[in-house]
Amino acid sequence: MAGLAIAGYAVMDESDEVKDWVKLSRAVFDRTILTFGTDGYFYESFHYYGFAFRLMIRYFDAHLSATGGNLYLPMKDKFSAMKYFAMHSILHDRENIFDFADIGDGSLNRMKTSKREKLYGEYDILYRFAGIHQDAQVQTAADFIRKETDLGTREPMWAFINHDHKLEPAPLSKIPTKIHFIGNDTVFGRTDWTKNATAFAFRSAPPEVHHAAKLANKNPDWRENTGHAHPDANSFIIFANGKYLTGDSGYAGVPLTEHHNTLLIVGKGQAKEGEGHDAFAAVPYARLNKIRISDVKMNANRVSITADLTDAYEPEVGVQKFIRRFDFTAPNEFVITDDVKTNKPQIITAFLHSDEKIVEKSKNSFEFEPNGMSLLAEIIAPKKFNAKIEKNILTAPGKPGSVDKGDREERSVRLEVSNDKPAKEVKFTISLEIHK
């Protein structure tokens, strides 16, 4: 649509038909402006943020040049917090990303063995937002990604063009170290902006975020596009002192709940996982919209998150309650508490992933990434449980048009913890402590 508009503006005086190109492009971008989320977070992943928004910028700039209409203005509030999404998405090893949704090859990227996915910082987009809105914090984020990380951009020339060298960046200390993206119910936190910080991300949201539920019934041309979202609600990622300790599996051709740090109920994951690349196709969005973070408390040393995942599972699974509490105490302690109730006795399975190695230290203690910086997991409840460590194998993304037909691929290892016998009410409490 951006290309069609640019072509249309270039030859507008040569054909009446060309005006229809411009009208169509304007209508599509009008819907983009309307439907974009309200908090700056992009649910399809940091990868698709870069893929999509530089094309929006191309259109906005062409439209501004050709017509004088400034579409950046009605988007200012929506774009404002995107600087925080960009800054918090980047891990402080300056090489990797908090990899929710479709981005990267998980552990293969971090171990530098991926031959498919390259990660980018996409700072040229931020430079345009900084310049057009005169936002010093956006300039800070763009400068940080360009100068302090190894993450480049697909279009460095546009970074040069977009950069307003007269705009002074704000001090890095002005960028908050903790943030809750309310529309997307994703929380990021880190102890500071240094390479040795402890950082985490926690997500519990519907696939197209809460804003979509308000719009779907008001727009007859609405079509869901949830293929790049994952069935990952109530999952989390922990990174500390330059090391990815537990988290996600990356871009999958067939996304499954078991690829994330969350729960299976009697072997069943969220929504309609396993039926193709889009786990949420044909699932009523009004039900998915009930997935949410219900409470967040933050101060300098603690973060406490409570999330409700009851409606993430299909009705036949019989979940009557799934509440997760995620507690962080700086600088190195986490406690994950799950309260699950089902309509009949069931086996519930909790997953925790690690890139390279998990070892059993004792009956209820497991160490993730031993030797050096590690994460010690202690199973506090249930008292009786079954646990196993196994390889994490998934369907990698296939070629465009056949994304769910990729090869089987090993990415990382995982710990599975299940109650020892079926029960209608199960409580998991797992303590996670970072060890140097």
Side-chain angles (χ1 to χ4, degrees):
M1 287 298 108
L4 185 66
I6 292 167
Y9 290 136
V11 295
M12 177 74 78
D13 297 331
E14 299 179 21
S15 168
D16 288 339
E17 179 187 352
V18 170
K19 295 178 182 178
D20 290 334
W21 304 357
V22 173
K23 289 178 180 178
L24 175 61
S25 300
R26 182 67 183 87
V28 169
F29 278 97
D30 179 70
R31 288 296 188 266
T32 304
I33 291 169
L34 174 68
T35 58
F36 182 70
T38 57
D39 61 6
Y41 186 99
F42 193 56
Y43 70 96
E44 290 189 334
S45 79
F46 189 77
H47 170 92
Y48 281 97
Y49 143 77
F51 184 85
F53 284 93
R54 66 167 39 88
L55 276 304
M56 183 179 283
I57 288 170
R58 299 293 174 270
Y59 174 77
F60 280 18
D61 286 345
H63 185 78
L64 178 61
S65 177
T67 72
N70 189 343
L71 297 176
Y72 287 104
L73 293 179
M75 291 296 285
K76 184 175 181 179
D77 289 343
K78 290 187 174 186
F79 284 155
S80 178
M82 195 172 279
K83 55 183 174 272
Y84 303 135
F85 169 67
M87 281 291 286
H88 279 279
S89 290
I90 293 172
L91 296 172
H92 40 277
D93 65 353
R94 315 303 207 243
E95 297 178 1
N96 290 290
I97 307 289
F98 276 113
D99 51 344
F100 290 126
D102 277 352
I103 181 172
D105 290 332
S107 61
L108 304 185
N109 280 116
R110 293 183 286 274
M111 293 187 289
K112 304 185 186 301
T113 59
S114 173
K115 297 180 180 179
R116 180 174 45 247
E117 282 285 304
K118 179 175 173 57
L119 303 177
Y120 292 92
E122 312 296 18
Y123 48 81
D124 58 297
I125 298 170
L126 294 174
Y127 275 135
R128 186 61 180 132
F129 292 156
I132 196 73
H133 292 144
Q134 289 296 288
D135 188 322
Q137 287 191 5
V138 184
Q139 191 87 328
T140 301
D143 280 352
F144 180 86
I145 297 169
R146 179 172 67 88
K147 296 177 181 180
E148 301 295 333
T149 79
D150 295 331
L151 298 164
T153 181
R154 290 176 176 86
E155 297 184 351
M157 178 56 74
W158 278 104
F160 175 77
I161 294 168
N162 291 340
H163 182 225
D164 181 354
H165 68 279
K166 295 180 182 179
L167 178 62
E168 288 291 327
L172 185 59
S173 60
K174 295 296 183 180
I175 306 294
T177 55
K178 301 177 182 68
I179 185 166
H180 176 198
F181 290 97
I182 296 174
N184 286 262
D185 269 336
T186 304
V187 176
F188 290 91
R190 60 182 71 202
T191 51
D192 54 59
W193 289 107
T194 70
K195 291 184 177 181
N196 295 323
T198 295
F200 68 87
F202 179 94
R203 177 168 171 76
S204 192
E208 279 193 338
V209 309
H210 298 302
H211 182 58
K214 298 177 181 179
L215 295 171
N217 293 330
K218 296 179 180 180
N219 295 280
D221 52 345
W222 181 274
R223 300 292 183 273
E224 287 186 8
N225 185 11
T226 53
H228 292 304
H230 285 198
D232 62 357
N234 271 7
S235 70
F236 58 90
I237 299 167
I238 297 173
F239 188 95
N241 288 78
K243 198 169 184 179
Y244 194 101
L245 295 172
T246 186
D248 273 32
S249 303
Y251 200 150
V254 181
L256 300 176
T257 302
E258 65 185 44
H259 301 158
H260 311 279
N261 287 345
T262 186
L263 302 188
L264 294 185
I265 313 294
V266 69
K268 303 292 186 180
Q270 299 167 23
K272 293 185 180 293
E273 60 156 36
E275 297 185 9
H277 187 60
D278 190 344
F280 305 97
V283 180
Y285 204 84
R287 195 188 86 217
L288 293 172
N289 192 48
K290 295 178 182 179
I291 302 169
R292 63 184 58 246
I293 290 176
S294 57
D295 185 63
V296 178
K297 294 182 173 65
M298 301 181 186
N299 60 38
N301 297 312
R302 286 184 56 83
V303 176
S304 181
I305 304 166
T306 303
D308 188 342
L309 196 60
T310 306
D311 290 281
Y313 300 82
E314 290 297 282
E316 58 267 25
V317 178
V319 179
Q320 296 181 331
K321 180 178 75 171
F322 176 10
I323 304 296
R324 168 166 281 189
R325 180 165 169 169
F326 178 95
D327 292 303
F328 168 63
T329 303
N332 64 342
E333 295 179 2
F334 299 84
V335 177
I336 317 301
T337 305
D338 294 320
D339 285 307
V340 183
K341 183 178 180 180
T342 54
N343 61 359
K344 59 183 178 181
Q346 303 281 25
I347 295 293
I348 315 298
T349 304
F351 288 85
L352 291 169
H353 294 76
S354 192
D355 278 353
E356 298 185 70
K357 192 174 184 180
I358 303 173
V359 297
E360 185 172 2
K361 302 289 288 184
S362 64
K363 183 181 181 302
N364 68 334
S365 179
F366 302 83
E367 188 173 15
F368 293 56
E369 307 299 342
N371 303 320
M373 180 66 57
S374 67
L375 185 70
L376 190 66
E378 181 182 357
I379 315 303
I380 299 171
K383 293 297 184 183
K384 294 182 179 181
F385 60 88
N386 297 317
K388 64 179 178 179
I389 299 166
E390 65 178 13
K391 294 178 180 179
N392 183 43
I393 300 174
L394 52 74
T395 300
K399 296 179 180 180
S402 302
V403 69
D404 59 342
K405 302 295 192 298
D407 296 330
R408 297 291 287 171
E409 186 170 88
E410 180 182 333
R411 293 190 197 163
S412 70
V413 293
R414 65 195 191 193
L415 172 67
E416 301 178 25
V417 180
S418 304
N419 46 314
D420 69 328
K421 59 183 179 180
K424 291 180 66 174
E425 295 190 42
V426 178
K427 182 173 183 176
F428 286 92
T429 302
I430 301 177
S431 170
L432 304 172
E433 185 172 357
I434 298 168
H435 284 232
K436 296 182 180 180

